[in-house]
Amino acid sequence: MPLPQETIATTPKKRFHGLFSTSIAAYSCFGRNQVPATTGYSLLHMNKPDDAEIVHFDNVGLRYGTGKEVLTDVSFTLFSGRFYFLTGASGAGKTSLLKLLYLAQRPSRGLIRMFGTDAITLPRERLPGFRRRLGVVFQDFRLVQHLSAFDNVALPLRVAGVPEKDIVRPVTEMLEWVGLGDRSHARPATLSGGEQQRVAIARAVIGRPDMLIADEPTGNVDPDMAEKLLRLFEALNRLGTTVVVATHDIHLIQKMPDSLIMRLDKGRLSDPTGALRYPPRSGAAPSRPELPRL
Amino acid sequence: MSMLPAALEAFQGEWRERASAESRLLPQGKLSGPMPWVIAIMIGLTVVATASGLALRNTARVASADVSGGVTVQIVHGAPRERDRQAQAALASVQSAPGVLSARLVPQAELDALVEPWLGTNAGDDINALPVPALIDVRLSDAANDSQLESLRTRLKSSAPAARIDAQATWLAPVFEAIGGLQWLAGGLIALLAFATVATVLLASRNALGNHRSTIEIVHMLGGTDTQIARIFQRSMAVDAAAGGIGGLLLGLVAISLLGHQFAALGSGMMTSVGLGFSDWLVICCIPLAGVLLAVVTARLTVLSALRGML
Ligand SMILES: Nc1ncnc2c1ncn2[C@@H]1O[C@H](COP(=O)(O)OP(=O)(O)OP(=O)(O)O)[C@@H](O)[C@H]1O
Ligand SMILES: [Mg+2]
């Protein structure tokens, strides 16, 4: 099957966005944005989980200031291209663990390796390069209040220096996709909680990160939208992005049978599905034990 | 055409694109609200103070160059005839004295003009009855010193006993002292204003940083580099400071030209000839430039130090 002319002619950066939007279309269970002519191309480039380590935690402990440890002896390995859920009661330390993952916090002890590099001794000037490989949905969204929804979603591309002419189309499509096509000029303050959350998600995935880290990304949306957003993550995951989603929502987890589950209990990690075992089991967990009580 | 313009254009295009992309990360102009106005006022005041200081310095220089080699010989005698005789003798004697460039008997018409404001034109009838001294304006080749004055005095003692000899600088000493004092005052004002401007810019920068701390954190978390974030702020501050600086310069120039007109209208022989030279204008135009530079450097340092505290 010949490649579409458009994708051959453009630079890798441009192709990358085109690829992303058409792939979303390909995996969209809502049937919007269908571009049949290019779906073959995006399927061709689908990444399979390749069991390559992307993150490794070894005996990581975290305490804030002089308080007690909120994370204790956390050890696990995340593998490239997989889909992880992180569950646990409120206050169990999910956000704290994700903060370590998205490099907003240094651990009090232990080792963290990310993208094959020791993330703890990483010099400051190399952090931005690492952060640009991550997409983060913060629990509190962290949208820039004086920028429109469009500009918020465009932010990672602009920070990465993507030319302006290559920003408008993917951002517009992404906003359409999360159902905010007609709200692209709205400031965050004038958006509902769920709408803000969708802007935050659009911003996290727009740059097609190597790893997506989402903290309660569906906490403020209705079940239909939650599932739609989950499909967005899934589409991204199929393109090779490792996804880590912290959530309380058991229904969400059930909708992703291929996912792996990590569970935090008072700052300690348990492994109810063997997600963290090495070598990781391929595909779904057939003998998946009963889902953890949340 | 060579390839250079094309390359330049491409570079400019790229730069503009990058600049516009980065400018979208922060709303421009809203960064510091009233700061351009405050900066304009500070710059305007600094410009006026500097211009006054420079004008005073120039005045003092020109005036002192004028008078330093000047000696006045007065012949004070009640009898006009004897006065004129002594004046002629003194003139001849002084003209042949060593170190004297020129000597000139101030003509009666000029003397009349000098005393006119006090005595009025109608005093003409009786003017010879008044003991108006004869004046000889002497130019020395160097600045007048005491020994030279002393030798002139002994020289004139016999031929013109009524002669009184003074260096012009001596008369004007209080004026020069006053001008010197004013110069110090202007210098002090400039220092204070510069200090206040620095403080203003610093506060503006801090304030802007405080307002946008969450934005900075977000851009930082999205992989923005320190220099990238600092650049956004620098540009914002530069725009504000440039607006303020240009406004301030215009304000200052208006004030200077008004003052200049006032002094010109005064017609004071000393002031009219003194203006601001090319180098003075250069110094004045550098003030807003320095303000912009200061604002940019401050913004950069403030942002970088804040970012260094973040992981
Ligand atoms: N910045 C902080 N300083 C001090 N303690 C903190 C800080 N952030 C979190 N903690 C504490 O660490 C513990 C774990 O918090 P964390 O936010 O990681 O929980 P969580 O699992 O994300 O909870 P939730 O589901 O409610 O979001 C809590 O006891 C919390 O009080
Ligand atoms: Mg949390």
Side-chain angles (χ1 to χ4, degrees), chain A residues 162-179:
Chain A
V162 174
E164 207 57 26
K165 63 180 191 311
D166 297 331
I167 283 179
V168 177
R169 204 175 67 101
V171 171
T172 312
E173 274 180 24
M174 184 56 71
L175 280 168
E176 287 284 340
W177 210 86
V178 297

Side-chain angles (χ1 to χ4, degrees), chain B residues 136-192:
Chain B
I136 300 173
D137 187 16
V138 184
R139 299 272 110 199
L140 298 180
S141 52
D142 295 313
N145 57 38
D146 285 346
S147 66
Q148 221 170 353
L149 289 178
E150 207 44 56
S151 76
L152 277 179
R153 274 184 200 118
T154 46
R155 202 183 170 88
L156 292 184
K157 192 164 259 172
S158 52
S159 58
R164 206 182 281 166
I165 301 171
D166 289 296
Q168 289 169 5
T170 323
W171 297 354
L172 287 171
V175 177
F176 285 124
E177 263 165 39
I179 288 178
L182 281 173
Q183 270 182 283
W184 277 107
L185 188 71
L189 268 176
I190 294 167
L192 281 177

